[in-house]
């Protein structure tokens, strides 16, 4: 028997915590990545707020945070290591705004596509969920 549940979307505080607090948070991953090249990276609170606001605006959730961060950090990840005089990078709110203006944000707005996909044929997804439940039950019985 399939089980269908609905989750509430994450709020701004939850997304901010996901972006900054866990041991493997995205901001901590980027800080370590830049440390390898000898560059001290830090994120301004305004920058974090802008990234979270974009994720909320486009209804991307926690997975969308990664896409937005990649859009913001991509140029710096490739350009800064080759610049020997650059030892520090502060990601500020204005930096995030500039980078997001350069990027075509329609590529990030995938939630509308997935919404249409999910509402197109619910019976298909219920069948997939049912198969997953059956596989889990069989796996538990095999143990």
């Amino acid at each position: 028997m399939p089980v269908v549940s609905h989750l509430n979307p994450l709020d701004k505080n939850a997304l901010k915590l996901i972006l900054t607090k866990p041991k493997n948070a995205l901001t901590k991953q980027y800080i370590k990545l830049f440390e390898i090249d000898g560059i001290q990276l830090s994120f301004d609170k305004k920058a974090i707020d802008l990234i979270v606001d974009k994720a909320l605006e486009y209804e991307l959730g926690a997975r969308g945070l990664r896409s937005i961060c990649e859009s913001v950090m991509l140029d710096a990840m490739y350009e800064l290591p080759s610049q020997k005089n650059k030892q520090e990078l502060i990601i500020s709110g204005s930096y995030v705004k500039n980078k997001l203006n350069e990027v075509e944000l329609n590529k990030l707005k995938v939630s509308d596509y997935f919404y249409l996909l999910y509402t197109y044929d619910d019976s298909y997804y219920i069948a997939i969920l049912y198969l997953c439940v059956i596989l889990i039950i069989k796996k538990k019985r095999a143990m």
Side-chain angles (χ1 to χ4, degrees), residues 17-30 32:
L17 289 174
I18 290 169
L19 193 58
T20 58
K21 293 297 179 196
K23 187 173 95 174
N24 60 345
L26 286 172
T27 53
K28 292 178 183 179
Q29 290 178 23
Y30 281 112
K32 287 289 185 188

Side-chain angles (χ1 to χ4, degrees), residues 25-75:
L26 286 172
T27 53
K28 292 178 183 179
Q29 290 178 23
Y30 281 112
I31 289 169
K32 287 289 185 188
L33 183 67
F34 278 85
E35 269 181 20
I36 293 170
D37 293 317
I39 299 169
Q40 183 181 0
L41 176 68
S42 61
F43 289 87
D44 189 3
K45 288 183 181 182
K46 181 72 174 166
I48 299 291
D49 288 339
L50 282 171
I51 292 169
V52 168
D53 288 341
K54 283 297 175 187
L56 286 172
E57 179 183 339
Y58 288 111
E59 299 176 1
L60 296 175
R63 290 183 186 215
L65 290 174
R66 179 172 294 281
S67 299
I68 295 170
C69 286
E70 285 176 0
S71 299
V72 170
M73 302 297 296
L74 190 64
D75 291 339

Side-chain angles (χ1 to χ4, degrees), residues 11 20 41 49 64 67 111 121 126 129 132:
D11 64 348
T20 58
L41 176 68
D49 288 339
S67 299
S111 62
D121 189 7
I126 291 172
L129 183 61
C132 289

